[in-house]
Amino acid sequence: MAMSTVSRVRRQLPVSPWLFAAPGLLITGAFILYPFVSTLVNAFTDRRTLVPGRFVGLANFRELLNDEMFWIGLRNSTLYVVGVVPALVVLPLLLALLVQKNIPGITFFRSAFYTPVVASIVVVGLIWVWLLDERGLVNSLLETVGVGRVGFLSDQWLLLLSAMTVMVWKGLGYYMIIYLAALANVPRELHEAAAVDGAGAVRRFLTVTVPAVRSTMVLVGALSSVAAFKVFSEVYLMAGPSGGPAGEDTTLVMLVQRTGTGLTGRVGYASAISVVVFVVTVALMLLVLRADRRDES
Amino acid sequence: MSALEKVRPAAARPPALARAPRVTDEHGRRIRVWELVLRYLLLLAVLALTVGPFLWQLSTSLKGPTEDIFSSPPKFLPGDPTLHNYERVADTIPVWDYALNSLKVATANVVTNCVGSALAGYALARLRYRGRRVATLVFILAMLVPVEGIIIAQFTTMRELGLNNTLVGVVLPGCISALNVLLMRNAFLNLPYEIEEAAYVDGANVWQRFLRIALPSVKGTIAVVAIFAFMGAWDDFLWPLIVLSDPSRFTLTIGLNYLHGTFAGDERLVAAGTIIAVAPLIALFACLQRYFFRGVGEGAVKG
């Protein structure tokens, strides 16, 4: 293949790096960074879906303070973090310890435990709506053992608890895999030394395993707390679009979706709620990372 | 440590266990029988909790109209299995059209993510130009933006482009995810540079080096990107819910939500719908497990 000097030089022109990166930069800029900036700007306007907004200063945020629904949303999203995160930090670790040893059939169990991660949240939500139904499997079992039927999906607090359970159930396998990778790096000599010193399984777990996977626990804590605070689908599917009895189960992201979409959507106000979501998300991350550093010192 | 190695045999096992079936752990040491039994019991209990709900849904979907699905104690197996409910789903909502829409969205998402993130990742990892650090920073920042916080602005952007209520609008925001770009960048960075240098000296241009040398070496990461792009698009709920309003354009997840909202009382119907939505992904997972697991490790930052 004969190549002229001109074409050889042209092929080395510095445009091509940008050509490589252009599609990615374009999409990221147009659909992530621009909407991010525009959310920050819109939060200070009274923009609606069909009406361009005017600058209204802090009016949206002042309205938030007096909006009962906002406080309900903030409460529920916060409760969600408090309820879900400890479970998602501890349970997958125990599960990882259970599937760590290479006993016969263990790969089957590992894969089976991961199945809920693969399924769509809509599928998972609807499966649990049917399981926890007034006449569903869980209530049938409860009745069979004599406990009686429980209104998992009709009581405001039980609904929230049920939705938390679903998020934990769906997340177990994912974090289990993360922990498995971390456990593989725990030197086995540490366990042996502890065993020789007469430490039982529980003691070895607390004195060897936990310290060794501590940084992974912090990672899981950070990831799951951000995911929990942004909860939408679980509650939307189980409590319905209006968020359960009198909207008492509404979460912040549900409120964003409800306020900001549709032809009459209040884009400005929904953006103000989004800004709160950003701020709390970042704060949660910093909190978890700081707690981590304090533990270390 | 060698001292410890010597101490270990002193904790000798009872000789009776020597006749037990030889099951060893990853270090070749025998596991005690009672511990093994306990492990399997726990594994089966967790199995019932994680897979049981799917099987119950499958069982419900196969129960005929005359069979009691509310019985107490519950009946786990359908007495007279029938596909009747699956036919009814298709009569109630255009479920196969929705499945096709989901397939289109997921396929497009796979292609754009693989091509776009491989190109951008290569540019970030290998090419030298002014502004490379800024470009990397753009993707890192984008990865940190919580999507749930910008959906309203994404929706108004789509409206401005006239792409709301289209499948293109569903695909676009995530079609080259920043996380995937950074994954590909890391994959390219981990390749030895010498081979590409040799090719450069031999006169291979950027595209030749990219296509013939770098790309074939990162096939594993591309597979991970492809699988997670497929799963992400197939399973996505919030964004399609916001951008699609015309029932004829629904994807499966939105169609299921619609089915549940309209026919909530018909558990057999909803059960059949959920099985249709989840079956393809479970099949995909069964075939390509190791890439799913690898993706968790590589994409743990995704959250």
Side-chain angles (χ1 to χ4, degrees):
Chain A
M1 194 161 61
M3 213 190 280
S4 73
T5 327
V6 178
S7 77
R8 188 172 294 167
V9 169
R10 185 175 297 144
R11 275 155 196 262
Q12 301 297 344
L13 277 184
V15 276
S16 67
W18 289 107
L19 224 85
F20 273 69
L25 285 172
L26 197 73
I27 293 292
T28 305
F31 299 110
I32 304 289
L33 297 179
Y34 168 68
F36 179 68
V37 174
S38 123
T39 302
L40 295 183
V41 173
N42 284 338
F44 299 94
T45 70
D46 61 357
R47 182 171 176 184
R48 282 169 183 268
T49 305
L50 298 175
V51 190
R54 287 164 306 144
F55 181 74
V56 293
L58 290 171
N60 286 330
F61 293 95
R62 244 177 272 130
E63 191 183 337
L64 275 183
L65 294 179
N66 299 314
D67 183 348
E68 202 196 343
M69 217 55 214
F70 167 73
W71 290 109
I72 289 176
L74 188 61
R75 178 197 70 196
N76 288 337
S77 293
T78 310
L79 276 179
Y80 223 83
V81 175
V82 175
V84 165
V85 174
L88 275 183
V89 170
V90 176
L91 295 180
L93 176 57
L94 299 178
L95 204 56
L97 288 170
L98 184 62
V99 299
Q100 190 194 9
K101 280 220 169 92
N102 282 323
I103 55 182
I106 200 67
T107 48
F108 163 75
F109 285 105
R110 279 183 203 149
S111 305
F113 297 171
Y114 193 78
T115 323
V117 182
V118 177
S120 165
I121 185 61
V122 180
V123 169
V124 168
L126 294 184
I127 285 179
W128 279 90
V129 164
W130 170 218
L131 279 174
L132 296 174
D133 187 271
E134 201 86 34
R135 301 182 294 170
L137 179 63
V138 174
N139 270 322
S140 292
L141 291 173
L142 286 178
E143 198 175 44
T144 312
V145 299
V147 177
R149 297 183 179 252
V150 180
F152 291 109
L153 302 179
S154 47
D155 176 80
Q156 167 199 343
W157 299 110
L158 281 178
L159 237 175
L160 204 63
L161 197 67
S162 305
M164 288 178 191
T165 311
V166 171
M167 184 180 258
V168 173
W169 183 79
K170 193 179 187 323
L172 278 179
Y174 183 82
Y175 296 115
M176 172 190 84
I177 299 292
I178 295 184
Y179 276 127
L180 265 181
L183 285 175
N185 296 328
V186 180
R188 131 179 101 106
E189 288 79 7
L190 284 179
H191 274 286
E192 280 164 3
V196 166
D197 289 347
V202 175
R203 220 190 136 79
R204 263 180 311 178
F205 172 73
L206 291 175
T207 55
V208 179
T209 311
V210 169
V213 298
R214 226 182 55 96
S215 61
T216 309
M217 292 176 83
V218 173
L219 173 73
V220 171
L223 291 177
S224 62
S225 55
V226 170
F229 191 74
K230 298 186 299 186
V231 60
F232 169 82
S233 307
E234 288 86 344
V235 184
Y236 182 93
L237 290 159
M238 299 180 79
S242 53
E248 280 284 346
D249 286 311
T250 302
T251 69
L252 269 191
V253 174
M254 283 175 79
L255 199 58
V256 170
Q257 181 260 352
R258 203 186 302 158
T259 322
T261 55
L263 291 179
T264 54
R266 298 182 62 195
V267 173
Y269 193 57
S271 301
I273 307 173
S274 301
V275 170
V276 175
V277 176
F278 289 143
V279 171
V280 177
T281 313
V282 173
L284 274 174
M285 290 287 270
L286 294 179
L287 206 75
V288 174
L289 295 177
R290 251 193 70 180
D292 179 38
R293 225 173 316 155
R294 194 167 335 124
D295 281 6
E296 223 150 3
S297 59
Chain B
M1 278 305 130
S2 61
L4 288 173
E5 297 285 336
K6 277 174 204 137
V7 172
R8 193 161 45 84
R13 294 172 197 82
L17 284 180
R19 260 173 278 126
R22 195 182 157 74
V23 175
T24 54
D25 67 7
E26 62 272 30
H27 308 303
R29 280 170 308 169
R30 201 169 301 143
I31 302 173
R32 278 157 300 190
V33 173
W34 66 265
E35 190 197 325
L36 205 61
V37 171
L38 188 69
R39 270 181 185 272
Y40 278 115
L41 284 178
L42 280 170
L43 285 168
L44 288 172
V46 180
L47 184 72
L49 281 176
T50 50
V51 178
F54 290 102
L55 296 178
W56 175 245
Q57 196 80 348
L58 180 66
S59 164
T60 306
S61 78
L62 295 173
K63 285 177 180 168
T66 52
E67 191 167 353
D68 183 13
I69 55 171
F70 306 112
S71 65
S72 176
K75 266 185 64 194
F76 288 100
L77 293 173
D80 180 22
T82 166
L83 292 176
H84 177 64
N85 297 313
Y86 291 86
E87 290 163 25
R88 280 172 59 230
V89 175
D91 292 339
T92 317
I93 56 170
V95 69
W96 304 120
D97 292 348
Y98 293 171
L100 187 65
N101 284 345
S102 279
L103 189 64
K104 282 183 197 163
V105 167
T107 311
N109 205 42
V110 169
V111 173
T112 52
N113 266 299
C114 286
V115 175
S117 58
L119 284 170
Y122 190 72
L124 296 185
R126 278 291 185 260
L127 306 176
R128 319 238 157 262
Y129 54 97
R130 286 163 64 90
R132 184 171 69 151
R133 294 177 128 209
V134 178
T136 312
L137 196 66
V138 164
F139 289 113
I140 292 176
L141 284 178
M143 195 182 68
L144 295 176
V145 172
V147 182
E148 288 84 350
I150 60 170
I151 37 164
I152 300 300
Q154 285 180 329
F155 177 63
T156 50
T157 308
M158 280 304 153
R159 279 187 64 86
E160 283 157 14
L161 294 170
L163 290 171
N164 60 317
N165 208 9
T166 64
L167 291 182
V168 176
V170 175
V171 177
L172 267 182
C175 74
I176 304 175
S177 99
L179 173 72
N180 288 338
V181 171
L182 296 171
L183 278 183
M184 291 308 303
R185 169 182 178 266
N186 287 346
F188 286 123
L189 278 179
N190 287 335
L191 296 180
Y193 197 45
E194 288 73 21
I195 309 171
E196 276 178 75
E197 228 165 25
Y200 179 75
V201 173
D202 288 347
N205 67 38
V206 181
W207 292 96
Q208 287 165 335
R209 274 179 284 150
F210 172 66
L211 285 174
R212 305 226 181 115
I213 297 166
L215 209 51
S217 315
V218 294
K219 271 189 220 139
T221 308
I222 290 184
V224 169
V225 167
I227 280 168
F228 276 75
F230 190 91
M231 185 169 89
W234 186 274
D235 287 351
D236 198 14
F237 178 53
L238 177 57
W239 174 243
L241 180 73
I242 285 176
V243 85
L244 295 175
S245 49
D246 179 357
S248 72
R249 304 227 169 102
F250 280 178
T251 57
L252 258 182
T253 52
I254 310 304
L256 268 186
N257 175 52
Y258 175 73
L259 186 74
H260 167 66
T262 326
F263 301 91
D266 198 338
E267 280 81 10
R268 297 177 184 84
L269 194 68
V270 176
T274 49
I275 296 298
I276 293 175
V278 79
L281 266 185
I282 291 189
L284 193 72
F285 171 55
C287 299
L288 301 167
Q289 281 170 26
R290 65 197 176 97
Y291 292 111
F292 277 88
F293 291 151
R294 229 184 107 180
V296 177
E298 295 191 9
V301 248
K302 195 172 185 182

